[in-house]
């Protein structure tokens, strides 16, 4: 059975003008991501991987090229449409967690549902369910300062999942974690992709961490060097 394409990138360029000089952050990038895939975009600092993630998320406009997500050309959308599109289709996991310090775990996870206009009862129910799913059933009332980095990142993952997105974007999601906690978070991400048939695109500079994904897009100097099918690390 043919895999469903959920992200299609074609001939993508992002060119910055620095005085007289033109910097090609992305230099003609093309690839597809399929439903139920854990895809890692891997490259060193300055390779263009973060710019690429910003393009996929509609946070930056391409100089040229197209980005089609869930059948929609996001490069053609204005900011209002992009905000609505992201609320409906996309979940984000950040390196720095980005939790609200005055809110407890349930309130943090429920926040995107509030912006989406979901009733308080339903958003709290969904937040509680999602926190249990990521193994934080005992930490519902804890605020970020009362949790470890790994626990805070699990709250961040629950917040990304609570909107039931088609696609999850993760930007160096284990960058602030120790090695043991990093493994826990990566196994959780694998589990989410496998059991919920979610699509996950993770940006990382770490080649070892990238091998937890089942497909690796290697990027250098704004170009894709090669795309690697991978048997993911599971230990």
């Amino acid at each position: 059975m043919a895999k469903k394409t959920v992200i299609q990138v074609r001939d993508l360029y992002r060119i910055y003008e620095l005085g007289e000089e033109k910097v090609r952050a992305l230099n003609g990038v093309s690839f597809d991501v399929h439903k139920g895939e854990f895809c890692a975009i891997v490259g060193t600092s300055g390779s263009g991987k973060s710019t690429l993630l910003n393009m996929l998320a509609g946070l930056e406009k391409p100089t040229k090229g197209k980005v089609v997500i869930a059948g929609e050309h996001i490069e053609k959308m204005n900011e209002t449409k992009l905000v609505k599109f992201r609320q409906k289709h996309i979940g984000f996991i950040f390196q720095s967690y980005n939790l609200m310090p005055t809110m407890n775990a349930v309130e943090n996870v429920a926040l995107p549902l509030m912006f989406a206009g979901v009733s308080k009862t339903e958003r709290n129910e969904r937040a509680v369910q999602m926190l249990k799913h990521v193994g934080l059933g005992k930490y519902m009332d804890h605020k970020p300062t009362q949790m470890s980095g790994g626990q805070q990142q699990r709250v961040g993952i629950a917040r990304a999942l609570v909107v039931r997105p088609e696609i999850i974007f993760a930007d160096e999601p284990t960058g602030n974690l120790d090695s043991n906690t990093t493994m826990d978070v990566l196994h959780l991400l694998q589990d989410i992709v496998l059991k919920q048939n979610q699509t996950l695109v993770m940006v990382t500079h770490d080649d070892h961490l990238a091998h937890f994904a089942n497909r690796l897009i290697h990027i250098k100097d704004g170009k894709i060097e090669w795309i690697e099918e991978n048997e993911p690390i599971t230990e």
Side-chain angles (χ1 to χ4, degrees):
M1 197 169 84
K3 292 180 182 176
K4 182 186 174 189
T5 301
V6 289
I7 300 176
Q8 188 183 65
V9 176
R10 291 291 179 271
D11 207 25
L12 201 63
Y13 286 83
R14 183 68 173 102
I15 301 166
Y16 299 101
E17 293 193 10
L18 296 173
E20 302 270 311
E21 194 183 350
K22 287 188 175 181
V23 178
R24 291 172 180 262
L26 290 177
N27 196 9
V29 170
S30 298
F31 63 92
D32 292 340
V33 177
H34 303 111
K35 183 167 176 59
E37 193 166 57
F38 184 173
C39 180
I41 299 170
V42 60
T44 55
S45 179
S47 61
K49 62 186 187 301
S50 294
T51 303
L52 178 53
L53 190 76
N54 286 343
M55 298 279 164
L56 296 178
L59 299 171
E60 271 190 75
K61 291 276 187 195
T63 306
K64 184 182 151 190
K66 68 177 184 178
V67 180
V68 182
I69 295 184
E72 304 258 7
H73 278 263
I74 67 165
E75 82 279 2
K76 294 178 179 175
M77 291 182 185
N78 62 28
E79 193 53 41
T80 307
K81 282 187 177 175
L82 275 168
V83 169
K84 286 182 180 174
F85 180 83
R86 283 194 289 262
Q87 282 176 353
K88 189 175 176 184
H89 296 281
I90 292 170
F92 288 98
I93 303 166
F94 303 96
Q95 179 179 341
S96 54
Y97 322 136
N98 285 12
L99 302 180
M100 302 296 284
T102 57
M103 292 182 170
N104 65 24
V106 172
E107 291 164 337
N108 264 291
V109 173
L111 198 58
L113 296 175
M114 185 178 80
F115 293 131
V118 176
S119 73
K120 187 172 183 180
T121 306
E122 187 189 336
R123 64 180 186 249
N124 282 350
E125 279 175 8
R126 279 168 64 177
V128 166
Q129 182 188 9
M130 205 48 73
L131 283 165
K132 287 177 181 172
H133 181 67
V134 300
L136 290 179
K138 296 177 182 174
Y139 296 88
M140 304 283 181
D141 297 326
H142 285 56
K143 289 185 176 166
T145 52
Q146 298 169 305
M147 291 185 277
S148 68
Q151 287 163 346
Q152 289 183 62
Q153 189 55 297
R154 282 171 180 263
V155 174
I157 292 168
R159 181 184 56 194
L161 290 173
V162 79
V163 294
R164 297 168 185 158
E166 282 178 69
I167 298 153
I168 303 155
F169 291 126
D171 188 5
E172 300 275 8
T174 61
N176 290 330
L177 304 176
D178 63 52
S179 55
N180 286 338
T181 312
T182 290
M183 295 304 123
D184 289 344
V185 167
L186 284 165
H187 287 135
L188 175 60
L189 294 176
Q190 282 181 329
D191 195 52
I192 288 160
V193 171
L194 197 64
K195 289 185 179 171
Q196 301 196 25
N197 200 28
Q198 292 274 26
T199 305
L200 174 67
V201 178
M202 175 179 79
V203 161
T204 181
H205 68 280
D206 189 318
D207 203 49
H208 176 68
L209 301 187
H211 279 86
F212 278 79
N214 51 288
R215 202 151 66 103
L216 281 65
I217 297 172
H218 295 267
I219 188 167
K220 184 179 179 182
D221 299 330
K223 286 187 172 184
I224 292 174
E225 283 197 296
W226 81 98
I227 296 176
E228 175 185 356
E229 301 294 329
N230 180 54
E231 192 61 44
I233 296 170
T234 55
E235 294 174 20

